[in-house]
Amino acid sequence: MRFDGISPAAREQACAALARRAQMAGPAPVVRFLDCGTRMVRLICHSAAFLRHVERQMTCALREDAPGFDATLVIWQERSVAEAALAVVRVLDGTSYRRLRVGRLTGLAGAEAVQVFDEELLRHWPLLDIQPGDGSLSAFAPERDTYYYAVEDLDPEEFIKRGHIFVQLLFRICNVPGSSLAHGAVVGLNGAGVLLCAFGYRGKSTLSVHALLDGFEYVSDDYLILGRKEDGTERDILRAWPVYSVIALSPHAYQAMYDGFRGKFLSNNARKDKYMFNIACYHEQFRRGYPVRLCMFPNICDCVEPSIEPGSRERALEELAFSTLNNTGNPRDAVTIGKLYEFVRDLPFYRFDLSRNIARNTRCLREFMEQLSAI
């Protein structure tokens, strides 16, 4: 069920209905803050179980307090997303509400999704999206820069099927001029970072996590914030910030790193092809506002020895932009594609042909970065 052209007053009433459901979900809320580098998010949590997921996945970004905030995110465990849909539709359209209500009472209607769009305020995404079949809901009140997010099932194995927590919401919150959440990895040496641009299953997580174990400076293996933020000495430098303390490794990669790896197991991601770990034990190697000096796109091949050569700017940009949008939003989002292009267009680009030997790949990257530092 789609609604367009809803008045601001009706949208506010719909969000107020969700806020009331959040307040009924548990005791007095816990307030925390998510430091996303370019944006600070106030987190209002009405569920202790939900907060535990946030603590495990976003350990490096979670703060007890902050001097201010840019947006608010309200989260709770929803008892019934279908009932939440009815409560919202009752506010938005009484006729539709009566039809849905009668259908539910007579057993003729299944759980119907409810979406509210206003492309003048938010292109590509609904302002409100309630999915009873998925057991989740999200909403955005633009007048107050407040976001709402709830799920029914907080069982760890079920919850983690959704992937990294808040990815799509953080993409919206951080997608402001000069900033964006991106799908990529950043590691580096001596204050010089390399942005690994790649779709999934291209080896960027394995490479970046093994580099972390080898003493590299680290931002992320999967999702991060990219932005330009001036400081007292360097202006207009592309920088990267971590938001997650979780990584995903294939069983093969985990076995290869087993002896030296200290991360805490979280889940097999309910797919059997990836293991998820919390790596808060490595926080001393995490870097915030880390300068990005070059881009690479990894390419898994059957070579005996890995190699790094000048690469295609177009391919790296394509993999960065479309892997980001495929995971966070609409692949036709030309504004974000253009922003990511502006971020990295002046950086040198390289192709990194990865061998099947993880240690050799990391050694190759170290030697390459050390040579660059010496120039």
Side-chain angles (χ1 to χ4, degrees), residues 32 133 231 318 348:
R32 294 287 187 270
D231 60 21
E318 177 183 343

Side-chain angles (χ1 to χ4, degrees), residues 3 40 54 73-74 98-99 108 112 140 165 172 202 215 236 280 289 300 308 318 347 360:
F3 294 91
M40 183 68 74
V54 179
L73 174 57
V74 181
R98 287 191 293 274
R99 176 173 62 80
L108 299 178
E112 187 167 353
F140 173 44
I165 191 173
R172 299 184 195 183
R202 293 290 182 85
D236 206 32
I300 298 174
I308 299 174
E318 177 183 343
L347 298 176
R360 288 181 183 175

Side-chain angles (χ1 to χ4, degrees), residues 95-108:
T95 303
S96 296
Y97 166 76
R98 287 191 293 274
R99 176 173 62 80
L100 286 176
R101 187 67 178 170
V102 170
R104 286 191 63 196
L105 290 174
T106 58
L108 299 178

Side-chain angles (χ1 to χ4, degrees), residues 295 297 309-318 349-351:
C295 292
F297 56 92
E309 305 290 342
S312 165
R313 180 187 310 270
E314 289 72 23
R315 178 176 173 183
L317 286 169
E318 177 183 343
F349 291 81
Y350 297 89
R351 185 189 74 250

Side-chain angles (χ1 to χ4, degrees), residues 230 282 320:
E230 298 180 2
Y282 294 101
L320 174 65

Side-chain angles (χ1 to χ4, degrees), residues 268-300:
N268 69 352
N269 208 17
R271 299 181 309 177
K272 308 299 183 185
D273 64 340
K274 291 282 187 178
Y275 297 155
M276 293 198 73
F277 301 88
N278 175 282
I279 57 168
C281 57
Y282 294 101
H283 275 176
E284 73 278 0
Q285 291 173 242
F286 278 43
R287 296 294 183 268
R288 299 183 56 77
Y290 194 60
V292 177
R293 303 296 186 183
L294 62 143
C295 292
M296 288 184 183
F297 56 92
N299 177 46
I300 298 174

